[in-house]
């Protein structure tokens, strides 16, 4: 089990290998379908991104509302493949660490290797457990999107596994081809 | 005559809606624990252990099992001796709005598939009402997540495809879905009827008790064959290989046209949530 801190430098990112089990701590950002659309729109209009992409991890989640006294509700990953078309545009802009669930398409995997990016996964459907690893949550962009807004999360020991690494390693093997 | 007050129905339904999202039923938990005991792949064991731990945290701390608290699906059996002096669909929607708002559940419904503006209270629900004889109103609820719903499929097979054709199609759907629907999954399979009937009975199959068996011997045989074939795919928990791809297979059937063999596969993730209330 590797303990890593976010944001992450390039050397650490490149050293990750498919199958590595990680415990992530530090600051990560959330975004799913609607936020990705806006991030790509912002990129095309040469507007500032909602957060600095350099070394940052984007976590594909749309949490349930926080109960009083809690930073966040259930916050497990959503299916990553839906973000493939957006990731193709955002990886060259610097967003090269992604966390979600499930296999992704070939176009995404090819681009991931070209960009020396990494794709991490966490078990889906364990949102209650994962909510206990989040210390704080704050909206940083697109508040009108509600659960789909971009949140800045401070996490501790957030579990993840490297699914696709920067040199073409693929934990899913042949299953998704 | 059983006259049911609107307030009572709304309160009871809101209660099961909230509970379904927090309290995974004992039969689903037993299936998950059995899978954890039988799984041989180490990574898969770790995933199953996380899933078992998660449902305990959800119940004890009243946090939703999954942040995708789903689209609200109801199957209602309305007895002929039940009297309602209100609109049943409106009352069910009020219960959904109440539970999702007051229960800190995620609102995941958009008002139109293309303009995608959130309705902000998780309504409207998807409601199926069937008239039956008797003096009770049975309301079954399932919050259906999109990750697994998106991987569901239907095929209009021909009679010649038969049993083997159904197995081939279902296994192909599971293989192509891979890790996307959050396996280990539960499969609701509808065979027969028409295009829409097959899909409807497949969905309804997901509300069956996880440890029951189909009444019809052919459906039962198909359930067993599919359970074996799906678990032999090595898709495994979250698609990362292993012995546990499905927790259960439920087959519902209906008579069909001499030329048809519709097969619908509705996929349910491992958070096989449902509750019912009888009024």
């Amino acid at each position: 089990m590797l303990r890593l801190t976010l944001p992450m430098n390039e050397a650490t990112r490149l050293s990750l290998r498919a199958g590595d089990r990680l415990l992530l701590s530090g600051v990560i950002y959330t975004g799913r379908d609607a936020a990705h659309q806006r991030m790509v729109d912002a990129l095309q209009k040469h507007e500032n991104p909602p957060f600095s992409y350099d070394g940052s991890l984007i976590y594909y989640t749309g949490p349930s509302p926080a109960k009083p006294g809690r930073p966040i509700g259930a916050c497990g990953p959503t299916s990553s493949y839906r973000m493939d078309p957006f990731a193709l545009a955002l990886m060259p802009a610097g967003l090269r660490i992604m966390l979600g669930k499930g296999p992704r398409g070939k176009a995404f995997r090819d681009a991931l290797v070209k960009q020396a990016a990494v794709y991490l996964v966490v078990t889906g459907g364990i949102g209650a457990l994962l909510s206990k690893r989040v210390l704080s949550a704050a909206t940083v962009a697109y508040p009108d999107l509600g659960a789909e807004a971009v949140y800045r999360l401070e996490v501790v020991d957030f579990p993840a596994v490297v699914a696709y690494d920067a040199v073409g390693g693929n934990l899913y093997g042949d299953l998704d081809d | 005559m059983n006259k049911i007050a609107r307030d009572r129905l709304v309160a009871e339904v809101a209660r099961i809606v909230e509970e379904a999202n927090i309290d995974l039923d004992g039969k689903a938990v037993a299936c998950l624990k059995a899978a954890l005991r039988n799984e041989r792949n180490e990574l898969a064991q770790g995933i199953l252990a996380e899933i078992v731990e998660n449902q305990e945290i959800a119940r004890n701390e009243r946090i939703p099992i999954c942040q995708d608290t789903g689209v609200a699906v109801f199957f209602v059996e309305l007895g002929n001796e039940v009297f309602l002096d209100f609109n049943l669909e409106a009352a069910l929607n009020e219960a959904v709005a109440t539970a999702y708002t007051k229960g800190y559940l995620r609102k995941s419904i958009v008002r139109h598939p293309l303009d995608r503006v959130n309705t902000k209270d998780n309504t409207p629900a998807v409601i199926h009402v069937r008239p039956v004889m008797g003096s009770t109103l049975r309301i079954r609820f399932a919050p259906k997540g999109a990750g697994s719903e998106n991987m569901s499929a239907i095929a209009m097979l021909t009679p010649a495809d038969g049993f083997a054709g159904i197995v081939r199609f279902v296994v192909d759907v599971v293989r192509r879905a891979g890790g996307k629907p959050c396996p280990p999954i539960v499969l609701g399979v509808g065979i027969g009827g028409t295009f829409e009937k097959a899909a409807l009975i497949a969905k309804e199959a997901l509300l069956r008790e996880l440890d029951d068996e189909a009444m019809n011997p052919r459906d039962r045989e198909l359930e067993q064959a599919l359970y074996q074939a799906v678990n032999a795919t090595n898709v495994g928990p979250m698609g990362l290989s292993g012995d546990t791809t499905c927790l259960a297979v439920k087959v519902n059937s209906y008579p069909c046209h001499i030329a048809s063999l519709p097969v619908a596969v509705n996929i349910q993730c491992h958070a096989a949530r449902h509750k019912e209330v009888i009024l």
Side-chain angles (χ1 to χ4, degrees):
Chain A
M1 199 76 87
L2 287 168
R3 287 178 184 275
L4 296 179
T5 305
L6 273 301
M8 188 189 293
N9 63 35
E10 187 178 17
T12 307
R13 187 182 84 232
L14 297 179
S15 73
L16 297 176
R17 289 294 173 268
D20 286 351
R21 295 194 213 182
L22 315 176
L23 285 174
L24 308 172
S25 296
V27 171
I28 66 174
Y29 295 90
T30 72
R32 47 173 292 157
D33 309 64
H36 272 77
Q37 181 66 62
R38 292 202 190 174
M39 287 157 67
V40 169
D41 290 347
L43 188 68
Q44 284 166 353
K45 287 188 238 163
H46 306 288
E47 293 169 1
N48 284 336
F51 56 93
S52 167
Y53 292 160
D54 186 33
S56 292
L57 177 150
I58 188 154
Y59 176 33
Y60 303 146
T61 186
S64 65
K67 283 187 163 180
R70 294 285 312 155
I72 200 165
C75 56
T78 194
S79 295
S80 303
Y81 72 95
R82 296 194 317 272
M83 265 49 79
D84 283 5
F86 306 115
L88 291 179
L90 294 170
M91 281 191 285
L95 192 54
R96 297 199 175 97
I97 311 167
M98 293 150 276
L99 172 62
K101 73 171 174 81
R104 310 186 66 162
K106 187 164 188 327
F108 170 83
R109 281 179 279 137
D110 291 347
L112 178 119
V113 173
K114 199 177 274 179
Q115 296 294 331
V118 290
Y119 169 54
L120 318 177
V121 292
V122 54
T123 301
I126 60 163
L129 185 157
L130 294 173
S131 76
K132 311 281 284 179
R133 311 292 172 92
V134 176
L135 303 178
S136 71
T139 310
V140 295
Y142 321 137
D144 58 301
L145 295 179
E148 289 203 72
V150 173
Y151 294 90
R152 175 190 189 275
L153 305 184
E154 199 185 340
V155 299
V156 62
D157 290 343
F158 201 93
V161 180
V162 180
Y164 304 148
D165 63 36
V167 293
N170 178 349
L171 188 60
Y172 290 100
D174 301 322
L175 280 174
D176 59 333
D177 283 315
Chain B
M1 182 69 71
N2 175 12
K3 183 173 185 209
I4 299 170
R6 189 179 193 279
D7 289 355
R8 179 171 164 239
L9 181 141
V10 170
E12 285 293 314
V13 173
R15 180 181 62 78
I16 63 164
V17 168
E18 201 176 329
E19 287 305 312
N21 276 293
I22 286 164
D23 178 29
L24 192 64
D25 83 46
K27 286 173 179 168
V29 177
C31 275
L32 287 165
K33 287 185 173 168
L36 177 56
R37 280 194 301 274
N38 297 329
E39 178 62 56
R40 293 170 297 175
N41 178 302
E42 198 206 330
L43 182 55
Q45 287 169 359
I47 291 168
L48 291 169
E50 285 177 322
I51 292 169
V52 169
E53 187 188 349
N54 179 70
Q55 58 80 29
E56 283 165 12
I57 293 172
R59 186 180 304 104
N60 294 338
E61 305 200 22
R62 299 191 62 77
I63 302 168
I65 296 159
C66 178
Q67 72 288 341
D68 187 352
T69 49
V71 52
V73 178
F74 289 99
F75 282 88
V76 178
E77 288 163 29
L78 177 59
N80 66 313
E81 292 172 50
V82 172
F83 177 67
L84 305 175
D85 64 356
F86 54 87
N87 181 323
L88 177 61
E89 290 196 347
L92 291 173
N93 278 316
E94 185 180 322
V96 167
T98 303
Y100 277 78
T101 308
K102 293 191 176 159
Y104 299 93
L105 306 178
R106 197 181 76 186
K107 292 77 173 169
S108 308
I109 304 304
V110 294
R111 69 180 183 185
H112 187 277
L114 291 176
D115 81 9
R116 309 207 69 85
V117 176
N118 199 298
T119 63
K120 297 202 160 79
D121 61 5
N122 219 54
T123 66
V126 173
I127 300 167
H128 308 288
V129 182
R130 190 161 66 93
V132 296
M133 299 303 285
S135 60
T136 58
L137 177 64
R138 181 184 186 209
I139 300 172
R140 290 181 294 163
F141 166 74
K144 189 65 179 71
S148 54
E149 191 76 355
N150 284 354
M151 294 297 116
S152 302
I154 191 161
M156 303 304 282
L157 302 183
T158 65
D161 291 319
F163 191 100
I166 294 170
V167 173
R168 227 174 8 249
F169 172 65
V170 174
V171 169
D172 187 49
V173 168
V174 171
R175 248 188 237 286
R176 274 188 295 168
K180 289 171 189 156
C182 282
I185 52 180
V186 176
L187 288 170
V189 180
I191 60 170
T194 47
F195 184 77
E196 85 286 4
K197 183 72 177 180
L200 187 63
I201 61 178
K203 171 68 91 272
E204 195 169 9
L206 293 175
L207 281 86
R208 281 173 43 193
E209 295 291 349
L210 273 195
D211 62 352
D212 75 356
E213 289 183 321
M215 303 278 272
N216 180 297
R218 284 199 175 79
D219 297 348
R220 200 151 63 231
E221 193 186 342
L222 189 55
E223 286 180 350
Q224 288 158 3
L226 286 170
Y227 181 85
Q228 298 296 334
V230 165
N231 279 323
T233 57
N234 194 37
V235 167
M238 299 313 295
L240 294 170
S241 303
D243 302 310
T244 320
T245 299
C246 75
L247 298 170
V249 180
K250 303 293 169 188
V251 175
N252 281 357
S253 62
Y254 198 80
C256 64
H257 190 279
I258 50 173
S260 290
L261 177 49
V263 183
V265 188
N266 199 186
I267 303 185
Q268 168 64 56
C269 65
H270 60 75
R273 301 160 287 184
H274 51 87
K275 293 279 177 205
E276 74 168 71
V277 62
I278 295 172
L279 298 172

